[in-house]
RNA sequence: GCCGGUGUAGCUCAGUUGGCAGAGCAGCGGUUUCGUAAACCGCAGGUCGUCGGUUCGAGUCCGACCACCGGCUCCA
């Protein structure tokens, strides 16, 4: 009789052949046996440690969603008998399943599938785990080519089953699946919803067939489902494309071309604040600002290796009598030319060349997405040229600057990845190892936690990425730091050392915000369009009650402008209610209603974004407070 | 690039089985001069994404193209 250890240091004897679920609480949807996720029907062959897996933990939700995916596939097969089903894993917040169907699914099919799922759930069919030999499994899935391909491609080392594969059967339907699953379809419950249909390549490979993917979500309770759907709505309200339109910040007219954007006056003001801040801070941290053109001869891109490794993402060349010119997809070769414009001494190093450099990349049309994925954008780019000895300290100073800049916007606690070199690189292994080691040392020395991501680096070197969480918990990749031994080599970069001999420097590529376009999109979503005062297009919005108050309002506006504040006077002749509404819709930080009271008293009535109103604020105090709030780049509104 | 969806006024969207292109908001003009998220009246605004086809007749049906939206990493 296996002796099972339960949480709380309890031990029970499990009768031979009894499933582990029989000694776990009824809330359990699965179990963990010696750390492995298993079904409740799992029968231990020996002693071990068992824990219940419940819906209150992520493993429990994972199992629930996996099972929900199965139920969905079953429903689809019921409704579309010709369906061939491929894979259906749980994903963050939900699940999907990929199908090969003769007809195209439409969003209208989703309610039908959901209804069928509900029937399957109501039927409460047990999920029965079976272990079959490969031959049996191939037989079982004779008319399911995707399942057969998976079975055939399974390598014996995969899973603990060796030559056997596991199949879960419920009712007349079965699926090849590792499991575990909830004990029966009834446990999937009613807190699920199908969200969208999309295309997806079989095994993510664009040379393989395009399947139809249905995304769904499933939760422990109705309330959890509702709050998830509310979260989705909140994300939609914050969508930078929608806010960009509503707030009149930018647009991408069709005549311009996909992935290209024009910034309107309100967006332009915001962007200037960003740019000024970035430039100012870089100067203060020992960077030098440089300016470089948008195009260069092909020889530059040959030397840099871009034509060999990056040509797919570059616009085709412009031909002229002096040769072919390419629009730049990166700034690095230009900064190398700045470096090489004269003989450099070790005394010049580190040289930190920075530029808000505009680049153009011919991204595939289907991957473009608002300002987040664009074809033309401006990076806060810098290339630090230093000696190998300076490398780790320089990387650390980039990390410091990253935390400082992003902290200003309210981003903290980055999730950091160290990406090692991809196969297709222009760097030899020894260089790559040194570069990776430098990044690792800098991360360790800075006390930053990180995880390794293999093969994700740029073609010229390994990199460290910083991801930051926004106000509603989504992660955005912003900062990239790359160490590069290759370009200095390719461009024969040198410096004269203390020993009066020539040495090869190392180069760090880094962008902290990424592109300003992308970063702006992230900021807009992070703030929901309600920018902190220093970034707001209008800082003070004046709403005169009647036309006779316009003159007083204009006088105030002049005083505010003289103090360096950005002001808008609503002289529309609409009602105050309408003016206040307009100000709120445009996310004005401070709205001043100017009427008889204000004209007489000379004081201000201040309305902030929350709608809270303070009467009798002296003009001088208001100006002082706003100037302080803006110049400190505060994320909080002033309390009066 | 591929799969699916969507393109009607500046914006958000109606538009029956093919039969004279609509509303609200925004804009402009007038009236109102008002105290905190939408005053009233009027005017103007369109090659219905583009090109081609079917038809007596196309926003509507067919084809091609363009653009946008959702996806194409999560591996039985």
């Amino acid at each position: 009789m296996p002796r099972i250890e339960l949480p709380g240091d309890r031990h029970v004897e499990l009768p031979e052949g009894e499933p582990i679920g029989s000694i776990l609480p009824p809330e359990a949807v699965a179990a963990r046996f010696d750390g492995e996720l298993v079904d409740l029907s799992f029968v231990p062959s020996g002693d071990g440690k068992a824990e219940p897996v419940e819906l209150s933990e992520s493993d429990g939700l994972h199992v629930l969603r996996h099972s929900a995916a199965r139920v969905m596939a079953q429903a689809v097969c019921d409704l579309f008998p010709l369906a061939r089903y491929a894979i259906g894993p749980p994903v963050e917040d939900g699940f999907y399943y990929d199908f090969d169907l003769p007809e195209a699914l439409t969003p209208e099919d989703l309610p039908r599938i959901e209804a069928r799922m509900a029937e399957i759930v109501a039927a409460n069919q047990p999920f029965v785990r079976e272990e079959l030999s490969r031959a049996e499994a191939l037989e079982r899935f004779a008319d399911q080519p995707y399942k057969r391909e998976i079975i055939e491609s399974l390598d014996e080392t995969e899973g603990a089953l060796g030559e056997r594969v596991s199949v879960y059967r419920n009712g007349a339907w079965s699926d090849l699946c590792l499991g575990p699953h909830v004990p029966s379809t009834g446990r999937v419950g009613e807190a699920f919803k199908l969200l969208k249909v999309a295309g997806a390549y079989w095994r993510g490979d664009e040379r393989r067939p395009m399947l139809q993917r249905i995304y769904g979500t499933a939760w422990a309770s109705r309330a959890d489902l509702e709050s998830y759907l509310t979260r989705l709505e909140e994300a939609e309200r914050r969508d930078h494309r929608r806010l960009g339109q509503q707030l009149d910040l930018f647009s991408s007219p069709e005549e311009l071309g996909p992935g290209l954007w024009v910034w309107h006056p309100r967006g332009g003001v915001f962007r200037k604040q960003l740019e000024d801040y970035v430039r100012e801070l870089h100067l203060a941290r020992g960077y030098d600002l440089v300016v470089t053109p948008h195009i260069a001869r092909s020889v530059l891109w040959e030397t840099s290796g871009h034509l060999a490794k990056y040509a797919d993402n570059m616009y085709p060349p412009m031909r002229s009598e002096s040769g072919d010119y390419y629009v730049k997809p990166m700034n690095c070769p230009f900064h190398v030319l700045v470096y090489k414009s004269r003989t450099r001494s070790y005394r010049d190093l580190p040289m930190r060349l920075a530029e808000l450099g505009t680049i153009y990349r011919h991204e595939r049309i289907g991957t473009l997405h608002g300002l987040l994925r664009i074809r033309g954008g401006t990076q806060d780019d810098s290339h630090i040229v230093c000696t190998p000895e300076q490398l780790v300290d320089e990387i650390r100073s980039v990390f410091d600057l990253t935390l400082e800049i992003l902290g200003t916007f309210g981003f903290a606690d980055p999730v950091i990845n160290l990406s090692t070199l991809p196969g297709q690189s222009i760097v030899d292994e020894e260089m790559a190892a040194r570069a990776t080691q430098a990044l690792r040392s800098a991360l360790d020395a800075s006390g930053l936690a990180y995880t390794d991501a293999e093969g994700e680096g740029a073609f010229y070197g390994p990199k460290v990425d910083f991801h930051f969480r926004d106000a509603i918990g989504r992660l955005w990749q912003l900062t990239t730091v790359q160490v590069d031994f290759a370009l200095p080599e390719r461009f024969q970069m040198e410096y004269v050392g203390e020993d009066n001999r020539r040495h090869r420097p190392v180069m760090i590529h880094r962008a902290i915000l990424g592109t300003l376009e992308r970063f702006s999109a992230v900021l807009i979503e992070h703030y929901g369009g309600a920018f902190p005062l220093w970034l707001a297009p209008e800082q003070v919005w004046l709403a005169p009650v009647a036309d006779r108050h316009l003159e007083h309002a204009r006088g105030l506006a002049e005083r505010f402008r003289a103090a360096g504040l950005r002001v808008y006077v609503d002289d529309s002749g609409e009602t105050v209610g309408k003016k206040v509404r307009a100000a709120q819709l445009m996310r004005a930080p401070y709205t001043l209603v100017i009427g008889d009271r204000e004209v007489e008293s000379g004081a201000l009535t201040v309305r902030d974004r929350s709608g809270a109103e303070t009467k009798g604020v002296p003009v001088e105090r208001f100006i002082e407070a706003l100037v302080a709030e803006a110049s400190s780049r505060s994320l909080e509104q002033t309390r009066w």
Side-chain angles (χ1 to χ4, degrees), chain A residues 50-73:
Chain A
E51 286 172 83
V53 170
E54 298 177 11
L55 293 181
S56 52
E57 56 178 310
S58 71
D59 277 348
L61 283 173
H62 203 77
V63 170
L64 175 81
R65 288 165 184 160
H66 200 177
S67 301
R70 209 88 319 146
V71 169
M72 177 174 79

Side-chain angles (χ1 to χ4, degrees), chain A residues 164 217 291 333 479 485 503 620:
Chain A
R164 301 185 74 76
T217 188
V291 178
T479 305
F485 291 93
H503 301 272
E620 280 315 314

Side-chain angles (χ1 to χ4, degrees), chain A residues 163-193:
Chain A
E163 272 302 298
R164 301 185 74 76
V165 299
S166 60
V167 170
Y168 281 78
R169 186 168 53 75
N170 55 298
W173 193 77
S174 58
D175 193 4
L176 182 70
C177 184
L178 274 175
H181 280 293
V182 297
S184 64
T185 57
R187 295 300 296 274
V188 168
E190 54 171 12
F192 64 82
K193 186 172 172 58

Side-chain angles (χ1 to χ4, degrees), chain A residues 2 8 42 95-96 216 245 305 326 328 362 434 447 459 550 560 623:
Chain A
F42 173 76
F95 59 87
Y96 68 77
Q245 157 100 286
Y326 286 87
K328 66 177 169 185
H362 196 260
R434 282 164 67 202
F459 69 83
L550 246 178
F560 299 148
I623 291 175

